[in-house]
Structures are given as structure tokens and as C-alpha cells.
Amino acid sequence: MAQDYVKLDNDQEYGMIAINKSVFESIADISIDEIENAVKLKSSRFSHPISVRIDKGQLSITAEIKVRYGASVNATAELLQNKIYENILFMTGYKAADVTVNVDGFEI
């Protein structure tokens, strides 16, 4: 069974601090909006463009995007990958083990 949260601090006297994986999804979603040439795929009932997996305390994020026509795919994907990693680190203090960006096509 997969965890739905990441424990940040176990040494609290009165409890623990944990972050739900939906928080990481929201941060990745915001990060896509910050990159000029990245376009979010639409979420549907059966597909989600951002997936978060937490396994043994390791955070893995996969984002599927489209790239605007004429932009460098490699540069856009690398920029988004770094932005997601940095935003998660800045907003939560947690380092993601793996950030993957899949390009699904082009936006014209």
C-alpha cells in the first residue's frame, strides 16, 4: 500500500509533521504555469497529467506537458524539471528523489 504523505519531522514531543501528496501535485501544477513554453495537459476522469508517488519516504513526481511550437523541447523540459524541484524544496523543505517531465506533443 502506497503512502499518501511524507513525514517531515518525527521527533516532535506532541506529534509529527507530514505533508500530503496532493500538496506536491499542487506545487508541480503551479511550477508548470511559471514556465513560458510549457502547457499543462487537461486532467480528465481517467488521466492526470501530474502524478506523485511516495515509496519508502522517497518522493517521485512525473509531469506530462505540451511544448509551445517553436520552443526547444529539451530546454523547456529541463527548465520545468529544475523549477519543480526548486519549488518543492523551497515550499516544503523536502528534496524530491526523482522529477520526470514527459512531453506529449506541441501546442500550436
Side-chain angles (χ1 to χ4, degrees):
M1 177 191 234
Q3 286 182 315
D4 287 339
Y5 58 90
V6 172
K7 294 179 188 174
L8 293 181
D9 192 3
N10 290 331
D11 297 334
Q12 294 291 325
E13 182 179 346
Y14 299 108
M16 69 175 176
I17 298 173
I19 298 178
N20 193 318
K21 69 180 189 176
S22 65
V23 173
F24 297 112
E25 286 178 19
S26 297
I27 293 171
D29 189 42
I30 291 167
S31 299
I32 294 171
D33 289 338
E34 292 178 2
I35 303 300
E36 181 181 352
N37 293 319
V39 179
K40 285 189 281 190
L41 293 179
K42 293 184 180 174
S43 182
S44 69
R45 187 174 191 180
F46 300 109
S47 69
H48 301 283
I50 300 170
S51 65
V52 176
R53 194 176 81 236
I54 301 169
D55 188 29
K56 297 178 185 173
Q58 299 292 316
L59 176 66
S60 299
I61 299 174
T62 302
E64 296 184 18
I65 62 166
K66 288 188 176 188
V67 175
R68 293 197 198 283
Y69 183 78
S72 170
V73 174
N74 191 30
T76 303
E78 186 178 348
L79 189 63
L80 178 59
Q81 187 177 26
N82 291 334
K83 182 59 102 172
I84 290 172
Y85 180 84
E86 290 171 358
N87 282 349
I88 287 175
L89 183 61
F90 178 72
M91 293 181 191
T92 66
Y94 193 78
K95 292 183 181 179
D98 182 39
V99 178
T100 304
V101 176
N102 296 327
V103 178
D104 189 51
F106 293 98
E107 182 77 19
I108 298 175

